Amino acid sequence: METNKDKPNVGIIGVGQMGHGIASNILKAGYPLVLLDHPGNQPVDDLLAAGARKADTPADVARQADIVVLCVTGTPQVEQVLLQDKGVLAGLRPQTIVIDCSTAIPSSTLKVAQAVTQAGGRFLDAPMTRTPKEAAEGRLNLIVGGDPALFEECLPLLRSYAENITHAGPVGSGHRLKLLHNYVSLGFSAVLAEAAACADRAQVDRGVLMDILAKGGGDGVVLGRLRPYIEQGDTNAFRFSIANALKDMGYYTAMAEETGAPHAAAEAIRATYAAASDAGIAQAAVPEIIDFLAGDAKK
């Protein structure tokens, strides 16, 4: 796969389930790519065969990149990868752009953006929605916070791996909206999981429950993602871990507390994911919480 020397050099840190798809599509669009070599990466042989290079530290990635894309787990990892001794800021060149695609606490995002700016760089928060399947297809949704002119400058790169791209407002807006989105999505998922667990206890056929919901007020994206598991035990439509759900719910409740917003329902939903995590299934996919809840109800 040939790269276009007129295109900016891109670095990516975090080649996990989502980051691998992003990296693959950046390469397909002809961008030179350097990735951080990290044990948490998915296999990267295909990316290296397509022309990607490896770097040993985040600083090394930054030294080789005009744009650095972060796709790590959350706020602690974002702060570490940017601010550690051999972090991105240690190798950042003037005017380099940092695009944070992770899910993060917005108050931290503002501090991180300020640190990037003080180091001579520029910053966008661009968290994503959808799943690894859409990441591989280059069809993610992005919610972007930052300067409008910088947003426009980065659009060609963002379009290489995203289908729907929304400029949400100033820095931090992307992460605020991502948490609002994930609260609604994960909240709906927890409600549906409890309903499916109750259906088991009430001896209601799961398939019939799905039909009734699909024809009524329960239809939607979340039903579509959980239905394959409820009916067939297939998690492929919702490959998002309970650990990540708990993290995101924790970030949402932190944001709600900081803003003084009501969050009683959010706390109950967070507690549902926390109970499943504490039971030892933190790395299971979200749909698998249904069986945990059904089993818990039988105790």
Side-chain angles (χ1 to χ4, degrees):
M1 189 177 302
E2 292 187 6
T3 57
N4 186 332
K5 294 182 180 179
D6 294 330
K7 292 189 175 183
N9 291 299
V10 178
I12 185 165
I13 297 174
V15 190
Q17 288 190 350
M18 301 295 282
H20 188 279
I22 290 173
S24 176
N25 283 290
I26 288 173
L27 284 166
K28 288 176 185 176
Y31 288 90
L33 185 71
V34 57
L35 58 90
L36 178 67
D37 191 15
H38 190 275
N41 288 345
Q42 294 286 299
V44 297
D45 291 348
D46 58 331
L47 302 178
L48 299 176
R53 308 180 310 280
K54 291 195 293 187
D56 291 331
T57 69
D60 290 336
V61 172
R63 290 187 187 99
Q64 300 178 55
D66 303 301
I67 303 173
V68 178
V69 176
L70 308 182
C71 191
V72 296
T73 303
T75 290
Q77 292 78 18
V78 171
E79 293 182 354
Q80 181 184 34
V81 83
L82 285 171
L83 306 176
Q84 65 181 308
D85 287 344
K86 296 182 179 179
V88 169
L89 296 191
L92 200 72
R93 296 177 295 156
Q95 297 300 302
T96 296
I97 302 165
V98 175
I99 302 176
D100 182 13
C101 290
S102 313
T103 300
I105 299 173
S107 56
S108 172
T109 301
L110 297 179
K111 290 185 284 188
V112 161
Q114 184 178 20
V116 170
T117 301
Q118 289 176 343
R122 297 177 287 165
F123 183 89
L124 293 175
D125 50 304
M128 53 206 161
T129 66
R130 292 188 166 171
T131 70
K133 176 178 181 291
E134 286 87 14
E137 295 168 351
R139 297 178 51 248
L140 290 171
N141 296 333
L142 297 182
I143 313 165
V144 187
D147 177 74
L150 181 58
F151 169 73
E152 292 292 334
E153 182 180 340
C154 293
L155 265 179
L157 173 65
L158 301 179
R159 285 176 176 145
S160 73
Y161 61 88
E163 181 178 37
N164 300 303
I165 305 170
T166 301
H167 183 243
V171 167
S173 300
H175 281 145
R176 292 187 189 101
L177 275 162
K178 171 64 185 293
L179 293 179
L180 288 163
H181 170 276
N182 278 23
Y183 168 46
V184 173
S185 174
L186 294 169
F188 286 178
S189 298
V191 168
L192 179 53
E194 281 198 358
C198 183
D200 284 355
R201 282 295 307 269
Q203 299 182 346
V204 171
D205 182 88
R206 286 186 175 191
V208 176
L209 173 65
M210 294 297 97
D211 287 341
I212 295 299
L213 291 175
K215 293 172 182 174
D219 197 16
V221 171
V222 170
L223 183 69
R225 287 180 178 171
L226 268 68
R227 187 169 188 168
Y229 183 80
I230 292 170
E231 292 186 328
Q232 295 128 23
D234 182 357
T235 62
N236 285 325
F238 201 172
R239 289 162 50 206
F240 192 75
S241 72
I242 289 168
N244 276 330
L246 177 59
K247 167 185 66 74
D248 288 1
M249 287 304 307
Y251 287 1
Y252 176 81
T253 55
M255 180 177 75
E257 288 173 2
E258 289 175 357
T259 59
H263 53 282
E267 287 287 4
I269 291 163
R270 191 201 64 80
T272 298
Y273 289 111
S277 179
D278 291 345
I281 58 169
Q283 298 308 315
V286 164
E288 295 179 68
I289 202 171
I290 295 168
D291 294 327
F292 162 73
L293 292 171
D296 188 64
K298 294 173 185 176
K299 289 180 181 178

